[in-house]
Amino acid sequence: MAPSHDTHEHEHEHENEKRDLRERARAFFHDNRPADPGFKLPQTFLEVESEEQFLWLKAWQKQVHAAGLIGVEWPKQYGGQGMPPGSQRVVAEEMGRAGVPFLVNRIGLDWAGPTILAVGTEEQKQRYLRNILSCDEVWCQGFSEPGAGSDLASLRTSAVRSGDHYIVHGHKVWTTQAFWADYMILLARTDPAAPKHAGISYFLFPMQSRGVFVRPLVKMTGEGGFNQVIFEDVEIPASCLLASEGDGWRLAVMTLAFERGASEGSATGGALAAGGEVARLVALAKGVCRDGRPASEDPVMRDRIAELAIEEEALLASALRARVPGLVEERPLALPFLGKLVATEFGQRLAALGQEVEGPLAQHAFGAERAADGGHFQRAYMNSFGFTIGGGTSEIQRNLIGEKILGLPKST
């Protein structure tokens, strides 16, 4: 059956909305690009280590929110604008083109918020979603534990029901922004007698509760951002439970799908959202000399940079393809899962090539006086390992794609 006239008009209206949104976003980011704050800014939300950085980035998100450019696809009754799918990606693309900072409440915007929107009660949606968009409440993620990272279902943090409360006891690790967070999406075991996947529940955990201890972890870059969190018999209201007891594994898989890009309704944008790293690499190659001439004139180096430029364009095209229903209907999670795998490994290879372009200058750490481009690619390379590990290592990601999405048999 051919599409109706009304359908065509509806689609045309949506395209006009997105075109107007793009113009508005482009003008806003052009006119409001923040000045250099005078201190080091993190490259991603994983490296927010100081209160100075956090408060500056929080103020930036509030400014973007006040301009009506965050959560534009979320329903109006929860603080969004109810715009058609793909609208937030328009904003993210303009953020990337403008080279403005990322939105600091990424876990709230991209993981916690979409999960609450999908399965939360009306009371939970009204309580949490607006404050996520405005950055009045910042979120972290409490999934991984010592001994339960890739094998997440082996987690041992417990939540025991006691009247109208739960008592939480345990230990989480690699918890990004836990030090600044108001809430955590927490996985805890509520039924120790059930099979390990079946005994887990999902909580919207208030981080200011008594008995919560956050201990920072320093990465090889010397930066913080990661933390471990200790729960010593923490009492939380039973209303913090999301969905039902024992439903935690299903919700965790949903959240991980959002983390890997299955939802674009609140994409956090930033300088990497629309590519641009290859352009930075090209500029570096033009300004750094190797064997007495600019590295950009080395034919081998030019070929390797060109390969990365082609890959960058392919990644952007793949993101566009993911929004065409007819192309993803059979396996809707294939492109998000593949995108996470390919994009993180691409970023790692690009940063490694950046250091190779620099040659001897690559020995200077980021921020050093003689470091090329401020040591951007040294820092990006070391930080890249957090992305090829977080949200499922590349090895685990390949297993998930093969077994769960493509239906391939398990290897023996």
Side-chain angles (χ1 to χ4, degrees):
M1 181 181 295
S4 68
H5 177 71
D6 288 345
T7 300
H8 283 304
E9 280 203 352
H10 199 52
E11 291 175 352
H12 183 67
E13 182 181 336
H14 283 175
E15 289 307 312
N16 285 339
E17 285 184 67
K18 286 192 276 190
R19 183 165 50 252
D20 291 344
L21 176 65
R22 185 179 296 280
E23 292 175 1
R24 181 160 59 89
R26 183 171 296 176
F28 173 82
F29 293 124
H30 177 270
D31 296 341
N32 295 277
R33 178 171 178 163
D36 185 340
F39 53 82
K40 179 186 69 175
L41 284 175
Q43 289 181 318
T44 73
F45 77 108
L46 297 178
E47 292 90 50
V48 181
E49 61 177 347
S50 70
E51 184 176 24
E52 186 177 44
Q53 291 173 332
F54 173 71
L55 292 177
W56 191 92
L57 289 165
K58 185 173 183 177
W60 167 242
Q61 180 170 330
K62 283 183 169 293
Q63 186 179 357
V64 180
H65 174 258
L69 297 174
I70 299 180
V72 297
E73 295 177 31
W74 289 15
K76 292 181 179 180
Q77 63 265 37
Y78 308 128
Q81 297 182 37
M83 294 189 69
S87 299
Q88 193 67 53
R89 173 56 52 178
V90 167
V91 177
E93 288 170 355
E94 293 306 318
M95 290 184 72
R97 290 191 178 97
V100 297
F102 58 88
L103 304 179
V104 71
N105 198 12
R106 178 169 181 183
I107 293 172
L109 288 168
D110 290 354
W111 308 338
T115 305
I116 295 169
L117 197 55
V119 301
T121 64
E122 182 61 25
E123 182 180 359
Q124 288 170 330
K125 293 174 185 178
Q126 293 289 352
R127 166 63 187 82
Y128 297 112
L129 294 178
R130 291 177 184 274
N131 288 340
I132 287 174
L133 295 177
S134 65
C135 209
D136 285 328
E137 292 175 343
V138 173
W139 288 67
C140 64
Q141 181 185 37
F143 283 18
S144 295
E145 299 183 4
S150 295
D151 184 17
L152 182 58
S154 295
L155 64 86
R156 292 180 291 179
T157 294
S158 63
V160 178
R161 184 70 182 252
S162 177
D164 58 355
H165 290 79
Y166 283 93
I167 308 299
V168 178
H169 188 88
H171 185 183
K172 296 292 179 179
V173 74
W174 313 127
T175 314
T176 304
Q177 293 190 17
F179 196 81
W180 318 110
D182 301 287
Y183 284 89
M184 169 190 283
I185 44 176
L186 171 71
L187 293 182
R189 192 164 299 282
T190 48
D191 186 355
K196 66 179 186 178
H197 289 83
I200 299 171
S201 298
Y202 193 116
F203 294 90
L204 309 177
F205 180 90
M207 287 292 288
Q208 307 309 315
S209 304
R210 181 177 298 178
V212 178
F213 301 94
V214 180
R215 298 173 182 170
L217 297 170
V218 178
K219 301 186 299 180
M220 63 181 173
T221 60
E223 297 173 297
F226 287 155
N227 304 271
Q228 55 181 326
V229 183
I230 313 296
F231 308 92
E232 294 187 356
D233 297 326
V234 183
E235 185 178 282
I236 62 171
S239 59
C240 293
L241 178 70
L242 187 64
S244 306
E245 277 198 15
D247 211 15
W249 186 254
R250 178 181 72 88
L251 301 186
V253 171
M254 179 186 296
T255 299
L256 290 171
F258 290 139
E259 180 177 350
R260 290 160 178 150
S263 171
E264 294 188 12
S266 48
T268 49
L272 301 182
E277 282 295 281
V278 171
R280 187 165 190 159
L281 180 59
V282 169
L284 176 72
K286 289 179 177 178
V288 172
C289 284
R290 290 170 59 91
D291 300 324
R293 60 178 180 171
S296 59
E297 295 181 8
D298 182 324
V300 174
M301 197 61 71
R302 289 171 67 91
D303 281 351
R304 294 177 65 186
I305 294 173
E307 287 177 3
L308 290 174
I310 292 167
E311 286 189 56
E312 185 176 66
E313 286 299 316
L315 283 168
L316 296 173
S318 184
L320 293 172
R321 179 184 173 213
R323 301 202 300 275
V324 180
L327 298 178
V328 296
E329 188 173 5
E330 186 177 351
R331 294 188 175 94
L333 293 180
L335 283 177
F337 276 63
L338 284 166
K340 187 271 182 188
L341 171 67
V342 175
T344 55
E345 293 191 349
F346 167 81
Q348 197 167 93
R349 287 185 289 107
L350 189 148
L353 183 59
Q355 293 177 93
E356 193 172 338
V357 166
E358 292 180 14
L361 290 175
Q363 67 185 307
H364 298 290
F366 68 89
E369 184 177 345
R370 294 190 60 197
D373 195 11
H376 170 83
F377 287 103
Q378 290 89 313
R379 186 184 183 195
Y381 180 69
M382 289 189 284
N383 281 329
S384 70
F385 290 92
F387 290 101
T388 55
I389 295 171
T393 64
S394 291
E395 293 78 10
I396 293 294
Q397 194 81 347
R398 286 182 168 87
N399 286 341
L400 286 171
I401 292 167
E403 296 169 13
K404 305 297 184 184
I405 294 176
L406 301 179
L408 301 176
K410 290 188 177 183
S411 59
T412 58

Coordinates of all heavy atoms in Angstrom, one line a residue, residues 218-272:
V218 N 42.8 6.8 40.4 CA 43.6 7.6 39.5 C 44.0 6.7 38.3 O 44.5 5.6 38.5 CB 44.8 8.1 40.2 CG1 45.7 8.9 39.2 CG2 44.4 9.0 41.3
K219 N 43.8 7.2 37.1 CA 44.1 6.5 35.8 C 45.6 6.7 35.5 O 46.3 7.5 36.1 CB 43.2 6.9 34.7 CG 41.7 6.6 35.0 CD 40.9 6.9 33.8 CE 41.0 8.3 33.4 NZ 40.1 8.6 32.2
M220 N 46.0 6.0 34.4 CA 47.4 6.2 34.0 C 47.7 7.5 33.4 O 48.9 7.9 33.3 CB 47.8 5.1 33.0 CG 47.0 5.1 31.7 SD 47.6 3.7 30.6 CE 46.5 3.8 29.3
T221 N 46.7 8.3 33.1 CA 46.9 9.7 32.6 C 47.2 10.6 33.8 O 47.6 11.8 33.6 CB 45.7 10.3 31.9 OG1 44.6 10.2 32.9 CG2 45.3 9.5 30.7
G222 N 47.0 10.1 35.0 CA 47.2 10.9 36.2 C 45.9 11.6 36.6 O 45.8 12.3 37.6
E223 N 44.8 11.4 35.8 CA 43.5 12.0 36.0 C 42.6 11.1 36.8 O 42.8 9.9 36.8 CB 42.8 12.4 34.7 CG 43.6 13.4 33.9 CD 43.0 13.5 32.5 OE1 43.0 12.6 31.7 OE2 42.5 14.7 32.2
G224 N 41.7 11.7 37.5 CA 40.7 11.0 38.2 C 39.4 10.8 37.3 O 39.5 10.7 36.1
G225 N 38.3 10.7 37.9 CA 37.0 10.5 37.2 C 36.4 9.2 37.6 O 35.2 9.1 37.8
F226 N 37.2 8.1 37.6 CA 36.7 6.8 38.1 C 36.7 6.7 39.6 O 37.5 7.5 40.3 CB 37.6 5.7 37.6 CG 37.4 5.4 36.1 CD1 38.4 4.8 35.4 CD2 36.2 5.7 35.4 CE1 38.3 4.5 34.0 CE2 36.1 5.4 34.1 CZ 37.1 4.8 33.4
N227 N 35.9 5.9 40.2 CA 35.8 5.7 41.6 C 35.4 4.3 42.0 O 34.9 3.6 41.1 CB 34.7 6.7 42.2 CG 35.0 8.1 41.9 OD1 35.6 8.9 42.6 ND2 34.4 8.6 40.8
Q228 N 35.6 4.0 43.2 CA 35.0 2.8 43.8 C 34.0 3.3 44.9 O 34.3 4.3 45.5 CB 36.0 1.8 44.3 CG 37.0 2.3 45.4 CD 37.9 1.2 45.8 OE1 37.6 0.1 45.9 NE2 39.2 1.6 46.1
V229 N 32.9 2.6 45.0 CA 31.9 3.0 46.0 C 31.6 1.8 46.9 O 31.4 0.7 46.5 CB 30.6 3.4 45.2 CG1 29.6 3.9 46.2 CG2 30.9 4.5 44.2
I230 N 31.7 2.1 48.2 CA 31.4 1.1 49.2 C 30.0 1.4 49.9 O 29.7 2.6 50.2 CB 32.5 1.2 50.3 CG1 33.9 1.2 49.7 CG2 32.3 0.0 51.3 CD1 34.3 0.0 49.0
F231 N 29.2 0.4 50.0 CA 27.9 0.5 50.7 C 27.9 -0.3 51.9 O 28.1 -1.5 51.9 CB 26.8 -0.1 49.7 CG 26.8 0.5 48.3 CD1 27.5 -0.2 47.3 CD2 26.1 1.7 48.0 CE1 27.5 0.3 46.0 CE2 26.1 2.1 46.7 CZ 26.8 1.5 45.7
E232 N 27.8 0.4 53.1 CA 27.8 -0.3 54.4 C 26.4 -0.2 55.0 O 26.1 0.8 55.7 CB 28.9 0.3 55.3 CG 30.3 0.1 54.8 CD 31.4 0.6 55.7 OE1 31.0 1.1 56.8 OE2 32.5 0.3 55.4
D233 N 25.6 -1.2 54.7 CA 24.2 -1.3 55.3 C 23.5 0.0 55.1 O 23.0 0.6 56.0 CB 24.3 -1.7 56.7 CG 24.9 -3.0 56.9 OD1 24.7 -3.9 56.1 OD2 25.6 -3.3 58.0
V234 N 23.3 0.4 53.8 CA 22.7 1.7 53.5 C 21.2 1.4 53.3 O 20.7 0.5 52.6 CB 23.2 2.2 52.1 CG1 22.6 3.6 51.8 CG2 24.8 2.3 52.2
E235 N 20.4 2.2 54.0 CA 18.9 2.1 54.0 C 18.4 3.1 52.9 O 18.6 4.3 53.0 CB 18.4 2.4 55.4 CG 16.9 2.2 55.5 CD 16.3 2.5 56.9 OE1 16.5 1.6 57.8 OE2 15.8 3.6 57.1
I236 N 17.6 2.5 52.0 CA 17.0 3.3 50.9 C 15.5 3.0 50.9 O 15.1 1.8 51.2 CB 17.6 3.1 49.6 CG1 17.5 1.7 49.1 CG2 19.1 3.6 49.6 CD1 17.9 1.4 47.7
P237 N 14.6 3.9 50.4 CA 13.2 3.6 50.3 C 12.9 2.5 49.3 O 13.6 2.4 48.3 CB 12.6 4.9 49.9 CG 13.6 6.0 50.3 CD 14.9 5.3 50.1
A238 N 11.9 1.7 49.5 CA 11.5 0.7 48.6 C 11.1 1.3 47.2 O 11.2 0.6 46.2 CB 10.4 -0.2 49.2
S239 N 10.7 2.5 47.2 CA 10.3 3.2 46.0 C 11.4 3.4 45.0 O 11.2 3.8 43.9 CB 9.6 4.5 46.3 OG 10.5 5.4 47.0
C240 N 12.7 3.2 45.5 CA 13.8 3.3 44.6 C 13.9 2.1 43.7 O 14.7 2.2 42.7 CB 15.1 3.4 45.5 SG 15.3 4.9 46.4
L241 N 13.2 1.1 43.9 CA 13.2 -0.1 43.0 C 12.6 0.3 41.7 O 11.5 0.9 41.6 CB 12.4 -1.3 43.6 CG 12.3 -2.5 42.8 CD1 13.6 -3.2 42.6 CD2 11.2 -3.5 43.4
L242 N 13.3 0.0 40.6 CA 12.7 0.2 39.2 C 12.1 -1.1 38.7 O 12.7 -2.2 38.8 CB 13.8 0.7 38.3 CG 13.4 1.1 36.9 CD1 12.5 2.4 37.0 CD2 14.6 1.4 36.0
A243 N 10.9 -1.0 38.2 CA 10.1 -2.2 37.8 C 9.9 -3.2 39.0 O 9.5 -2.7 40.0 CB 10.8 -2.9 36.6
S244 N 10.3 -4.4 38.8 CA 10.0 -5.4 39.8 C 11.3 -6.1 40.3 O 12.3 -6.1 39.6 CB 9.1 -6.5 39.3 OG 7.9 -6.0 38.7
E245 N 11.2 -6.7 41.5 CA 12.3 -7.5 42.0 C 12.6 -8.6 41.0 O 11.7 -9.2 40.5 CB 12.0 -8.1 43.4 CG 12.3 -7.2 44.5 CD 12.4 -7.9 45.9 OE1 12.6 -9.2 45.8 OE2 12.4 -7.2 46.9
G246 N 13.9 -8.9 40.8 CA 14.3 -9.9 39.9 C 14.3 -9.5 38.4 O 14.7 -10.3 37.5
D247 N 13.9 -8.3 38.1 CA 13.9 -7.8 36.8 C 15.2 -7.0 36.4 O 15.2 -6.4 35.3 CB 12.7 -6.8 36.6 CG 12.1 -6.8 35.2 OD1 12.4 -7.8 34.5 OD2 11.3 -5.9 34.9
G248 N 16.1 -7.1 37.3 CA 17.3 -6.2 37.1 C 18.2 -6.6 35.8 O 18.7 -5.7 35.2
W249 N 18.3 -7.9 35.5 CA 19.1 -8.3 34.4 C 18.5 -7.8 33.1 O 19.2 -7.2 32.2 CB 19.3 -9.8 34.3 CG 20.3 -10.2 33.3 CD1 20.0 -10.7 32.1 CD2 21.7 -10.0 33.3 NE1 21.1 -10.9 31.3 CE2 22.2 -10.4 32.1 CE3 22.6 -9.4 34.2 CZ2 23.6 -10.4 31.7 CZ3 23.9 -9.3 33.9 CH2 24.4 -9.8 32.7
R250 N 17.2 -7.9 32.9 CA 16.5 -7.4 31.7 C 16.7 -5.9 31.6 O 17.1 -5.4 30.5 CB 15.0 -7.7 31.8 CG 14.3 -7.1 30.6 CD 12.8 -7.4 30.7 NE 12.1 -6.7 31.7 CZ 11.6 -5.4 31.5 NH1 11.6 -4.9 30.3 NH2 10.9 -4.8 32.4
L251 N 16.6 -5.2 32.7 CA 16.8 -3.7 32.7 C 18.3 -3.3 32.4 O 18.6 -2.3 31.8 CB 16.3 -3.1 33.9 CG 14.8 -3.3 34.3 CD1 14.4 -2.5 35.5 CD2 13.9 -3.0 33.1
A252 N 19.2 -4.1 33.0 CA 20.6 -3.9 32.7 C 20.9 -4.0 31.2 O 21.7 -3.2 30.7 CB 21.5 -4.9 33.5
V253 N 20.4 -5.1 30.6 CA 20.6 -5.2 29.2 C 20.0 -4.1 28.4 O 20.7 -3.6 27.4 CB 20.0 -6.6 28.7 CG1 20.0 -6.7 27.2 CG2 20.7 -7.8 29.3
M254 N 18.9 -3.6 28.8 CA 18.3 -2.4 28.2 C 19.2 -1.2 28.3 O 19.5 -0.5 27.4 CB 16.9 -2.1 28.8 CG 16.2 -0.9 28.3 SD 14.7 -0.5 29.2 CE 13.7 -2.0 28.9
T255 N 19.7 -1.0 29.5 CA 20.6 0.2 29.8 C 21.9 0.1 29.0 O 22.3 1.1 28.4 CB 20.9 0.3 31.3 OG1 19.7 0.5 32.0 CG2 21.8 1.5 31.6
L256 N 22.4 -1.1 28.9 CA 23.7 -1.3 28.2 C 23.4 -1.1 26.7 O 24.3 -0.6 26.0 CB 24.2 -2.7 28.4 CG 24.8 -2.9 29.8 CD1 25.1 -4.4 30.0 CD2 26.0 -2.1 30.0
A257 N 22.2 -1.4 26.2 CA 21.9 -1.1 24.8 C 21.8 0.4 24.6 O 22.3 0.9 23.6 CB 20.5 -1.8 24.4
F258 N 21.3 1.1 25.5 CA 21.2 2.6 25.4 C 22.7 3.1 25.5 O 23.0 4.0 24.7 CB 20.4 3.2 26.6 CG 18.9 3.0 26.5 CD1 18.2 2.6 27.6 CD2 18.3 3.0 25.3 CE1 16.8 2.4 27.5 CE2 16.9 2.8 25.2 CZ 16.2 2.5 26.3
E259 N 23.5 2.5 26.4 CA 24.9 3.0 26.5 C 25.6 2.8 25.2 O 26.5 3.6 24.8 CB 25.6 2.2 27.6 CG 27.0 2.5 27.8 CD 27.7 1.7 29.0 OE1 26.9 1.0 29.7 OE2 28.9 1.8 29.1
R260 N 25.3 1.7 24.4 CA 25.9 1.4 23.2 C 25.3 2.2 22.0 O 25.7 1.9 20.9 CB 25.9 -0.1 22.9 CG 26.9 -0.8 23.9 CD 26.5 -2.3 24.1 NE 27.5 -2.9 25.0 CZ 27.2 -3.9 25.8 NH1 26.0 -4.5 25.7 NH2 28.1 -4.4 26.6
G261 N 24.3 3.0 22.3 CA 23.8 3.9 21.2 C 22.4 3.5 20.7 O 22.1 4.0 19.6
A262 N 21.7 2.6 21.4 CA 20.4 2.2 20.9 C 19.3 3.3 21.0 O 18.3 3.2 20.4 CB 19.9 1.0 21.6
S263 N 19.6 4.4 21.7 CA 18.7 5.5 21.8 C 19.4 6.8 21.5 O 20.5 7.0 22.0 CB 18.1 5.6 23.3 OG 17.3 6.8 23.4
E264 N 18.8 7.7 20.8 CA 19.4 8.9 20.4 C 18.6 10.1 21.1 O 18.9 11.2 20.8 CB 19.4 9.1 18.9 CG 20.4 8.2 18.2 CD 20.6 8.6 16.8 OE1 20.1 9.7 16.4 OE2 21.1 7.8 16.0
G265 N 17.6 9.8 21.9 CA 16.7 10.8 22.4 C 17.3 11.8 23.2 O 16.8 12.9 23.5
S266 N 18.5 11.6 23.7 CA 19.2 12.6 24.6 C 20.7 12.6 24.3 O 21.4 12.9 25.3 CB 18.9 12.2 26.1 OG 19.2 10.9 26.3
A267 N 21.1 12.3 23.1 CA 22.5 12.3 22.8 C 23.3 13.5 23.3 O 22.8 14.6 23.1 CB 22.7 12.1 21.3
T268 N 24.4 13.2 24.0 CA 25.1 14.3 24.7 C 26.0 15.1 23.9 O 26.6 16.1 24.4 CB 25.9 13.7 25.9 OG1 26.7 12.6 25.4 CG2 24.9 13.2 26.9
G269 N 26.3 14.8 22.6 CA 27.0 15.6 21.8 C 28.5 15.9 22.2 O 29.1 15.0 22.8
G270 N 29.0 17.1 21.9 CA 30.4 17.4 22.2 C 31.2 17.3 21.0 O 30.8 17.0 19.9
A271 N 32.5 17.6 21.2 CA 33.4 17.8 20.1 C 33.6 16.5 19.3 O 34.0 16.6 18.1 CB 34.8 18.3 20.6
L272 N 33.3 15.3 19.8 CA 33.5 14.1 19.0 C 32.2 13.6 18.4 O 32.2 12.6 17.7 CB 34.1 13.0 19.9 CG 35.4 13.3 20.6 CD1 35.9 12.1 21.4 CD2 36.5 13.7 19.6

